[in-house]
Amino acid sequence: MNTEHAFSLLDDQVCEQARLSRDARFDGLFFTAVTSTRIYCRPVCPAPTPKPQNVRYYASAAAAEAAGFRPCLRCRPELSPGNDAWQRGDHVIARTLKLMEEGALDELSMEAMAERVGLGARQLRRLFVDRLGAPPINVYTTRRLLFAKQLLTETSMPVTEVALASGFRSLRRFNAAFLQANRVPPRELRRHPGVVGGDAITLRLGYRPPYDFEAILGFLRGRSLPGVELVDDESYSRVFGPTDAPGWLRLSARPGDDHALQLELHCPQPARLLSIVTKLRRMFDLDANPQSIGDALKQSALLKPLWRKRPGLRLPGGWDGFEIAVRAILGQQVSVAAARTLATRIVHRYGTPVVTGMPGLERLFPGPEALADADLREIGLTTARAATVRGVAQALLDGRIDFRSEQPLDEFVERWVALPGIGEWTAHYMAMRALSHPDAFPAADLILRRAATNDGSMLSTKALSSLAEAWRPWRAYSVMHLWRSASDAVKPVAKKVS
């Protein structure tokens, strides 16, 4: 079943089958609205199934709310993963959604945001209504309100802080918008909150199964930076800025089998909560639809057995674009371990010390302003590689390059390879890790070129690129499967990703 195709068209028969079976693989791909109760639900809702004649299907939560339905208090639509059929790739809707996730509508008018993606405001609105069932502002507002609903239900944060954390600058506007969407004022949800005790803000981050959390932890563990990150067999922890108000987080498997990770967040600035959760969802690829990815990859005789072995393998992103860029440059033609050693030296020489109260998390990765004039040869970099890091730092400060999430892959690569010392491999690796672009493909990678054959030989970069054309638009996932297969072949007993 091609779920991406099915749910872009909202096939009622497929939706009905998924709803009746409460199949978690379809969670967030559509929403079920019940005309008799005026409530909309996730397809996994445990409530008694309504009569078919009372059911309506919507492509987004915003579309259901625009039609006058309110979110279910039992299955809680705010916990569903996003629909990556709209969020991934270079389609104009995906690029706009990425801008909205970064809070573009807080700073830009609708006209300015539409211009960023090459459309007029009216054309963009029509496209959203046609594909998602609601205009951009409704999609944006619904996202903020659902996040607020989660904070009200799962935390003891004051309502004023919840409003700020969910992107509302006015408490009055927040109360009015929440009441309109949920038919109850925000404080009403505080009667029976499912709050986890402790100083941290604890939230559920949902995903669609299967999800190989062990594999993504293994990938990050082999690249973790002492002082900045802590990665063990069960969790990922990290310190984050700003310098004057640092925080830290821990992401682990949630107790019980409810297809969710558990986030423990120590963040002194409530306004940053939504952006941090958004960043983590991207970094841990929580909105991916493994069914759609599998439908594409299993068409390949090379990838089909790899996908069947690990259908939950995801694309590990990075926390910060500049950090990923530096680490990509350090990793040119050296091992993962050697690149990690050099990155650790940079952290301890140029990173900013902070106090978090969490042992092992005490330094922020240096920004471009700290490395633009740094003599990196003193920590072991070659003259050429040190110059490349400095050049990238200065180019970022000058605005010649950036990590804007809405830019198309080809545009991103073209701008980066124009810099001295940055080739196609480095640019695609950065797109894969910093932008989480699903079609990024570092074809010059030696491990990929060897893993793509079954006889121990090595394909040329051109031959591998040609072979990978059939894997679009999920080539980055093919990278993860091939890297993992190469690691398993070297260490067949090991469970961790190299």
Side-chain angles (χ1 to χ4, degrees):
M1 180 187 301
N2 188 328
T3 56
E4 183 174 353
H5 175 70
F7 291 104
S8 66
L9 300 178
L10 276 190
D11 185 309
D12 283 0
Q13 182 177 356
V14 177
C15 291
E16 184 75 0
Q17 180 182 352
R19 177 180 70 86
L20 293 176
S21 62
R22 295 188 173 94
D23 194 330
R25 295 176 302 168
F26 300 91
D27 191 11
L29 298 182
F30 71 95
F31 293 89
T32 300
V34 184
T35 57
S36 57
T37 63
R38 306 306 297 175
I39 289 173
Y40 74 92
C41 303
R42 302 156 65 186
V44 296
C45 186
T49 55
K51 296 178 180 179
Q53 60 266 31
N54 294 334
V55 173
R56 303 289 184 272
Y57 296 113
Y58 291 93
S60 68
E65 293 195 6
F69 296 90
R70 67 185 186 276
C72 177
L73 294 176
R74 188 166 181 181
C75 69
R76 301 177 58 197
E78 68 270 18
L79 299 182
S80 63
N83 186 349
D84 75 342
W86 303 120
Q87 294 174 321
R88 294 302 189 94
D90 293 338
H91 189 278
V92 67
I93 288 183
R95 294 167 59 201
T96 306
L97 287 173
K98 291 171 186 176
L99 274 172
M100 291 163 60
E101 285 181 348
E102 295 175 354
L105 282 177
D106 291 336
E107 302 175 357
L108 301 175
S109 66
M110 184 62 66
E111 290 73 17
M113 189 179 72
E115 186 177 352
R116 286 271 293 267
V117 296
L119 291 179
R122 286 186 179 182
Q123 187 179 3
L124 183 63
R125 186 184 188 280
R126 285 197 299 268
L127 191 59
F128 262 69
V129 171
D130 180 54
R131 302 294 179 86
L132 296 179
I137 190 64
N138 292 51
V139 173
Y140 181 60
T141 301
T142 296
R143 175 174 176 264
R144 293 188 297 166
L145 288 173
L146 288 176
F147 184 64
K149 187 169 176 284
Q150 182 178 10
L151 293 177
L152 288 166
T153 305
E154 297 184 357
T155 79
S156 58
M157 292 174 62
V159 174
T160 302
E161 291 189 3
V162 170
L164 186 63
S166 52
F168 289 86
R169 299 177 181 176
S170 164
L171 181 60
R172 179 182 60 82
R173 290 181 180 177
F174 168 68
N175 285 332
F178 194 93
L179 178 61
Q180 181 179 1
N182 295 276
R183 312 297 193 272
V184 294
R187 297 183 188 279
E188 187 75 17
L189 293 182
R190 278 289 160 80
R191 290 185 174 182
H192 304 287
V195 178
V196 178
D199 297 331
I201 296 170
T202 304
L203 298 173
R204 276 181 276 184
L205 304 185
Y207 58 77
R208 287 181 204 90
Y211 183 80
D212 195 339
F213 188 47
E214 178 186 352
I216 206 167
L217 285 179
F219 183 93
L220 295 173
R221 184 167 50 248
R223 295 158 174 80
S224 62
L225 296 180
V228 177
E229 303 167 297
L230 292 173
V231 188
D232 55 30
D233 291 340
E234 300 178 347
S235 66
Y236 173 87
S237 300
R238 183 183 180 97
V239 62
F240 56 87
T243 305
D244 58 349
W248 66 277
L249 60 86
R250 182 175 186 266
L251 193 65
S252 58
R254 183 173 172 81
D257 186 21
D258 61 353
H259 310 306
L261 301 181
Q262 180 162 291
L263 171 62
E264 301 165 52
L265 183 59
H266 300 256
C267 181
Q269 296 180 319
R272 301 195 65 205
L273 289 185
L274 182 54
S275 64
I276 289 172
V277 169
T278 299
K279 184 174 291 190
L280 282 172
R281 294 199 66 85
R282 176 190 56 76
M283 182 176 177
F284 283 83
D285 205 12
L286 297 181
D287 294 327
N289 181 358
Q291 187 85 3
S292 292
I293 298 166
D295 285 346
L297 299 190
K298 67 185 180 184
Q299 301 303 313
S300 163
L302 173 66
L303 298 176
K304 184 176 182 178
L306 306 183
W307 176 80
R308 283 185 169 177
K309 184 178 180 180
R310 299 187 179 278
L313 205 60
R314 297 293 175 93
L315 180 60
W319 179 263
D320 174 75
F322 180 62
E323 178 183 324
I324 291 297
V326 172
R327 296 171 71 161
I329 295 166
L330 299 180
Q332 293 171 344
Q333 300 179 338
V334 300
S335 68
V336 170
R340 179 176 182 246
T341 297
L342 292 172
T344 301
R345 292 175 186 172
I346 288 178
V347 167
H348 286 276
R349 175 65 176 83
Y350 299 100
T352 304
V354 293
V355 178
T356 64
M358 177 62 179
L361 298 177
E362 67 272 337
R363 283 185 179 271
L364 300 175
F365 194 88
E369 65 283 347
L371 299 186
D373 296 317
D375 185 3
L376 298 174
R377 293 174 299 177
E378 63 185 20
I379 61 169
L381 268 67
T382 64
T383 299
R385 201 143 298 164
T388 299
V389 172
R390 290 196 305 271
V392 164
Q394 191 60 56
L396 282 167
L397 294 174
D398 295 342
R400 287 177 283 141
I401 52 174
D402 53 52
F403 292 98
R404 289 183 295 108
S405 60
E406 83 277 10
Q407 59 188 307
L409 175 62
D410 290 345
E411 177 184 317
F412 176 86
V413 172
E414 181 181 1
R415 293 173 69 194
W416 278 84
V417 298
L419 298 178
I422 303 295
E424 293 268 348
W425 180 93
T426 307
H428 275 271
Y429 181 85
M430 287 190 291
M432 192 172 72
R433 298 287 316 284
L435 301 187
S436 293
H437 200 291
D439 205 34
F441 192 72
D445 188 87
L446 296 178
I447 295 176
L448 290 182
R449 290 162 54 195
R450 185 175 291 112
T453 67
N454 295 317
D455 57 6
S457 61
M458 183 181 295
L459 290 179
S460 67
T461 299
K462 183 178 181 180
L464 179 58
S465 297
S466 177
L467 177 66
E469 281 297 308
W471 306 339
R472 288 181 180 271
W474 309 109
R475 292 185 302 175
Y477 290 89
S478 73
V479 172
M480 299 311 302
H481 280 284
L482 290 169
W483 277 351
R484 184 60 195 245
S485 71
S487 174
D488 289 344
V490 174
K491 297 181 292 185
V493 179
K495 295 182 179 180
K496 300 175 183 178
V497 177
S498 64

